[in-house]
């Protein structure tokens, strides 16, 4: 890859970050805090949270077997995506390349940051060729986004093709692994030392059952993470989120049981959904959802809404005409979906 200084926006490279009261205090344990203009009442929510989430990073470091200096936490993975653009892409000049279809926030964040967003169409099996992505890139391409398992298609992208991109691209390769806990593939976090140009995204929203606390994770080299910490807002992860995440890490065994149950339900629901008269095809999935081609996606979606059941209509997404995306729910929820569709005419 190019030297990090060549990839990062010059104003970001020279940025002097805001120094909060909690950044400046380092030392012995204190009991009286008169430094941050806080209200002394309503403990513990009266105090600003740890800006670098030290305790949480220590715990996640053990779970993921990754040095805590290589971990960034954000307000959902969307904050990490936005920080990637703000760190590396000069508005109106640089560009990003991504597969299509994929997670929509990559393009939204590009538009917000005035960065050209270049799409490379997946093939009929929802796979890509590294050569196609690299051909779309030029000297002003700073980021390549790869979501695996991909959303909304559900499948793992070819590991070999991803490695070819990592080996060949001179910029930053972002691998979004939001659904990795439901996949049999090994996480790319195991290859952080091999690829200094890689940023891996994960989240507490899916397998950890914590979409409501908004906690995303980015794993990268210490150098990249240190820059993210300069760019982020001082207290980007609040106290309540940090506390609940710490609590959930203590339930790691329960999380694994949830994943095991959801994978069993995924297989059962796919089998039953495939027997429905309205189902034309179900695409292979490595996530906690599946993409299904149906006879009339809009009509079926509206019918389900009228029955109090909400799936995602993806018919207007590239390569997904007449497709519904169905999240794996609890057994009663999944049964309610099947029973409703059995009555669909």
């Amino acid at each position: 890859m190019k030297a990090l200084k060549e990839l990062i926006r010059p104003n970001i490279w020279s940025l002097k970050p805001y120094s909060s009261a909690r950044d400046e205090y380092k030392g012995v344990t204190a009991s009286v805090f008169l430094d941050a203009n806080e209200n002394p009442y309503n403990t513990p929510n009266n105090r600003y949270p740890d800006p670098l989430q030290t305790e949480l990073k220590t715990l996640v470091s053990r779970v993921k077997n990754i040095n805590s200096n290589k971990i960034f936490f954000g307000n959902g993975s969307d904050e990490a995506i936005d920080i990637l653009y703000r760190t590396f892409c000069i508005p109106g000049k640089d560009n990003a390349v991504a597969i299509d279809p994929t997670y929509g926030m990559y393009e939204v964040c590009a538009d917000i940051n005035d960065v050209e967003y270049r799409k490379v169409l997946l093939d009929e099996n929802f796979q890509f060729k590294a050569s196609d992505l690299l051909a779309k890139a030029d000297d002003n391409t700073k980021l390549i986004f790869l979501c695996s398992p991909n959303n909304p298609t559900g499948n793992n992208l070819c590991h070999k093709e991803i490695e070819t991109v990592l080996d060949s691209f001179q910029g930053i390769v972002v691998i979004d692994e939001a659904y990795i806990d439901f996949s049999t593939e090994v996480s790319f976090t195991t290859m952080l030392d091999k690829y200094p140009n890689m940023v891996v995204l994960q989240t507490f929203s899916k397998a950890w059952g914590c979409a409501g606390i908004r906690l995303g994770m980015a794993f990268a080299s210490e150098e990249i993470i240190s820059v993210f910490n300069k760019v982020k807002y001082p207290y980007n992860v609040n106290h309540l989120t940090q506390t609940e995440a710490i609590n959930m890490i203590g339930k790691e065994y329960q999380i694994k049981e949830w994943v095991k149950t959801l994978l069993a339900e995924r297989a059962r629901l796919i089998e039953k959904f495939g027997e429905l008269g309205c189902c034309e095809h179900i695409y292979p999935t490595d996530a906690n959802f599946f993409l299904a081609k149906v006879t009339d996606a809009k009509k079926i979606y509206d019918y389900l809404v009228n029955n109090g059941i909400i799936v995602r209509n993806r018919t207007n997404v590239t390569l997904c005409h007449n497709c519904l995306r169905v999240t794996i729910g609890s057994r009663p929820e999944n049964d309610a979906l099947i029973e409703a569709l059995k009555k669909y005419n």
Side-chain angles (χ1 to χ4, degrees):
M1 64 178 283
K2 293 179 181 178
L4 203 56
K5 186 175 182 179
E6 294 181 58
L7 294 173
I8 291 174
R9 290 168 55 183
N11 64 305
I12 298 298
W13 183 263
S14 60
L15 176 69
K16 183 179 180 181
Y18 173 78
S19 181
S20 71
R22 293 298 172 261
D23 283 315
E24 293 178 6
Y25 168 72
K26 295 287 188 297
V28 298
T29 302
S31 59
V32 177
F33 289 95
L34 305 176
D35 58 341
N37 303 335
E38 299 157 325
N39 188 322
Y41 307 112
N42 195 35
T43 302
N45 296 326
N46 60 323
R47 300 298 180 187
Y48 286 107
D50 177 1
L52 292 176
Q53 310 94 34
T54 306
E55 181 181 0
L56 180 57
K57 282 181 180 175
T58 298
L59 295 173
V60 170
S61 173
R62 295 169 186 166
V63 172
K64 301 290 185 179
N65 195 28
I66 297 171
N67 188 297
S68 60
N69 292 328
K70 297 181 179 181
I71 302 173
F72 170 84
F73 290 131
N75 185 351
S77 295
D78 293 342
E79 182 182 3
I81 294 167
D82 186 58
I83 274 186
L84 281 157
Y85 281 107
R86 289 192 283 135
T87 298
F88 293 105
C89 296
I90 299 174
K93 177 183 176 181
D94 291 330
N95 67 76
V97 174
I99 56 175
D100 185 36
T102 194
Y103 181 45
M105 279 303 295
Y106 311 143
E107 184 172 10
V108 171
C109 285
D111 291 343
I112 290 171
N113 287 282
D114 191 21
V115 173
E116 181 188 358
Y117 185 79
R118 301 178 177 181
K119 302 179 183 181
V120 176
L121 192 66
L122 296 176
D123 64 22
E124 65 276 8
N125 296 313
F126 296 139
Q127 289 293 343
F128 77 102
K129 292 291 185 185
S131 56
D132 294 336
L133 277 181
L134 295 168
K136 203 78 170 180
D138 59 23
D139 289 341
N140 290 325
T141 305
K142 296 293 183 66
L143 304 171
I144 288 180
F145 285 94
L146 294 167
C147 185
S148 183
N150 192 25
N151 179 11
T153 61
N155 62 301
N156 285 317
L157 299 178
C158 177
H159 201 283
K160 182 178 179 182
E161 294 296 323
I162 294 176
E163 285 202 63
T164 299
V165 174
L166 285 164
D167 287 328
S168 305
F169 183 53
Q170 293 297 299
I172 303 298
V173 180
V174 185
I175 304 175
D176 191 340
E177 294 185 339
Y179 302 96
I180 192 66
D181 296 286
F182 304 100
S183 169
T184 57
E185 286 282 358
V186 175
S187 170
F188 272 91
T189 56
T190 60
M191 307 174 79
L192 283 175
D193 291 338
K194 181 178 180 180
Y195 294 114
N197 63 328
M198 178 175 66
V199 176
V200 180
L201 305 180
Q202 293 185 10
T203 180
F204 270 68
S205 294
K206 310 304 178 183
W208 290 82
C210 287
I213 72 172
R214 308 307 304 130
L215 185 62
M217 299 175 279
F219 306 98
S221 69
E222 291 185 31
E223 292 76 14
I224 290 176
I225 296 300
S226 68
V227 177
F228 286 178
N229 287 333
K230 286 205 307 181
V231 176
K232 78 175 185 69
Y233 294 115
Y235 304 112
N236 63 321
V237 179
N238 68 64
H239 167 73
L240 299 175
T241 292
Q242 292 187 46
T243 299
E244 180 58 19
I246 290 168
N247 175 56
M248 290 304 297
I249 289 174
K251 300 180 180 179
E252 187 181 3
Y253 175 79
Q254 179 67 66
I255 308 305
K256 291 179 179 178
E257 288 299 305
W258 287 346
V259 170
K260 183 179 177 180
T261 299
L262 287 169
L263 291 177
E265 274 299 296
R266 184 179 74 184
R268 189 182 76 92
L269 182 57
I270 286 175
E271 179 180 2
K272 290 188 175 294
F273 199 97
E275 296 170 354
L276 297 169
C278 63
C279 178
E280 294 186 348
H281 181 70
I282 298 178
Y283 296 94
T285 182
D286 302 284
N288 68 328
F289 63 85
F290 62 87
L291 188 71
K293 187 174 182 64
V294 294
T295 52
D296 189 326
K298 185 181 185 308
K299 187 176 178 181
I300 295 170
Y301 173 82
D302 291 341
Y303 165 81
L304 288 172
V305 168
N306 289 332
N307 283 271
I309 299 170
I310 313 301
V311 295
R312 196 79 186 270
N313 182 3
R314 299 283 75 190
T315 193
N316 293 323
V317 173
T318 307
L319 301 180
C320 297
H321 180 65
N322 269 337
C323 285
L324 298 176
R325 194 191 70 189
V326 180
T327 304
I328 310 303
S330 65
R331 176 162 289 207
E333 290 173 326
N334 299 334
D335 287 343
L337 171 67
I338 296 302
E339 291 306 311
L341 288 176
K342 284 180 178 178
K343 299 173 184 176
Y344 171 77
N345 294 317

